[in-house]
Amino acid sequence: MAIKVRPLSNVIGAEIQGIDPAGDIDDDTIAEIRQAWLDHNVLLFRNVSWTPAQHVAFTRRFGPLHIMPRLANEAPVTLPDHPEVFIVSNLVREGKPVGVRRAGWGWHSDGEDKLVPNMGSMLYAVIVPPKGGDTAFSNMYAAYDALPDRLRDAIEGRRARFSRAELHPVNYPHLPPLTEQEKRDRPDVWHPLVRIHSETGRKSLYVGRWTVEIEGFGKDEGKALIRELSEFAVQPQFVYRHRWRVGDVVLWDNRCSQHCAIPYDDEKHERHMLRTTLEGDIPAYGTVRSEVAEAA
Ligand code: OGA
Ligand code: MN
């Protein structure tokens, strides 16, 4: 099957046309799609109508799936019959939240706060608000390539600490605090700030909203550098902003992109999205590899 690859911007993203992700797809076509994914970082499929089982089956063609744990007692996080499907939703039914509200409001890549971050994520739009609720994607290869020498020299081969425990109250102020058990389950990790993609061999900038400290830098100096890198990474020239339509499926590569849900009026409008998540590998820059941080 010959697919058509139509770029969504000149920096990141492409739409795949000519296949139905819910249908039968041969291995050669999957290989073509994977190549397009590696080339374009973010893929869009339009007018998809599928069941959670089909969503899971299509995602599995790209690798083993990750099951998202519950977080801060927010219930439920995944579909009862399909633990591989994570629910991003502001719907309330019978007084209970249907999924995780305000997930991803802030630039990040999925699982950046874990030793093994997620390789990819595939988000399916079920209900979209009439206004707002877009998702922005930034190309971290392009951000790395454009780094001024001063910044590149400061971070290449160096690691940063990512901390769910420290930043949960900042990034999820509307959720209950993490329990002591959750903090033990989500220890801080050190990741290389420049990582080498395990399939393409290309270097990308690896920072996000859970980054708190940089090796060899004092607290304040490190925070200032994190802020500078974070702002640098998501400048308009690296970004594509996706306006969702019902039936859109977007597959992104967390190894070389960041994304951000653009806040919308979630008191007024419903937005309901289903996500599958691909298991990843331990980030590395040559011999510099990610590691779990010693407990403070
Ligand atoms: C995610 C996420 C953004 C959005 O599902 O990982 O960050 O726009 N979602 O819903
Ligand atoms: Mn996310």
Side-chain angles (χ1 to χ4, degrees), residues 144 147-160 191-194 205 207 213-217 221-222 224-226 228-229 285:
Y144 170 81
L147 279 175
D149 292 345
R150 172 183 62 84
L151 285 179
R152 186 179 303 126
D153 292 346
I155 64 166
E156 191 133 12
R158 207 181 273 278
R159 296 184 305 178
H191 289 307
L193 277 163
V194 177
L205 177 59
V207 296
E213 180 188 347
I214 298 183
E215 245 170 13
F217 282 78
E221 215 190 349
L225 183 50
I226 291 165
E228 191 176 4
L229 292 167
Y285 176 87

Side-chain angles (χ1 to χ4, degrees), residues 97-150:
V98 166
V100 180
R101 196 173 149 207
R102 300 194 172 183
W105 286 27
W107 285 100
H108 66 285
S109 56
D110 296 331
E112 66 178 50
D113 62 318
K114 300 182 301 182
L115 178 64
V116 184
N118 307 117
M119 173 172 76
S121 306
M122 191 184 286
L123 191 62
Y124 175 50
V126 182
I127 300 174
V128 301
K131 219 174 75 191
D134 299 356
T135 308
F137 296 90
S138 189
N139 185 333
M140 290 303 107
Y141 291 136
Y144 170 81
D145 290 343
L147 279 175
D149 292 345
R150 172 183 62 84

Side-chain angles (χ1 to χ4, degrees), residues 104 108 110 252 259 275:
H108 66 285
D110 296 331
W252 63 84
H259 58 279
R275 192 191 87 192

Side-chain angles (χ1 to χ4, degrees), residues 61-240:
R61 303 293 296 275
F62 299 92
L65 297 199
H66 175 77
I67 294 181
M68 296 289 288
R70 283 165 106 90
L71 187 64
N73 302 313
E74 178 87 344
V77 159
T78 55
L79 290 177
D81 299 335
H82 295 277
E84 305 91 342
V85 180
F86 176 69
I87 311 164
V88 177
S89 180
N90 68 334
L91 268 55
V92 175
R93 292 289 179 264
E94 289 162 17
K96 295 202 185 82
V98 166
V100 180
R101 196 173 149 207
R102 300 194 172 183
W105 286 27
W107 285 100
H108 66 285
S109 56
D110 296 331
E112 66 178 50
D113 62 318
K114 300 182 301 182
L115 178 64
V116 184
N118 307 117
M119 173 172 76
S121 306
M122 191 184 286
L123 191 62
Y124 175 50
V126 182
I127 300 174
V128 301
K131 219 174 75 191
D134 299 356
T135 308
F137 296 90
S138 189
N139 185 333
M140 290 303 107
Y141 291 136
Y144 170 81
D145 290 343
L147 279 175
D149 292 345
R150 172 183 62 84
L151 285 179
R152 186 179 303 126
D153 292 346
I155 64 166
E156 191 133 12
R158 207 181 273 278
R159 296 184 305 178
R161 184 164 61 89
F162 291 64
S163 177
R164 168 74 59 163
E166 264 180 63
L167 292 181
H168 178 83
V170 176
N171 290 333
Y172 286 110
H174 58 290
L175 296 188
L178 294 183
T179 63
E180 289 309 310
Q181 183 60 47
E182 282 170 329
K183 286 184 191 167
R184 283 191 293 276
D185 291 346
R186 311 286 294 237
D188 292 2
V189 291
W190 291 96
H191 289 307
L193 277 163
V194 177
R195 68 182 284 192
I196 298 180
H197 196 288
S198 48
E199 288 181 83
T200 65
R202 292 184 63 189
K203 292 178 187 174
S204 65
L205 177 59
Y206 199 55
V207 296
R209 65 174 176 158
W210 303 100
T211 320
V212 282
E213 180 188 347
I214 298 183
E215 245 170 13
F217 282 78
K219 227 175 163 190
D220 293 341
E221 215 190 349
K223 283 211 158 53
L225 183 50
I226 291 165
R227 188 169 326 114
E228 191 176 4
L229 292 167
S230 303
E231 285 170 5
F232 186 88
V234 300
Q235 296 173 90
Q237 64 268 35
F238 310 133
V239 171
Y240 162 71

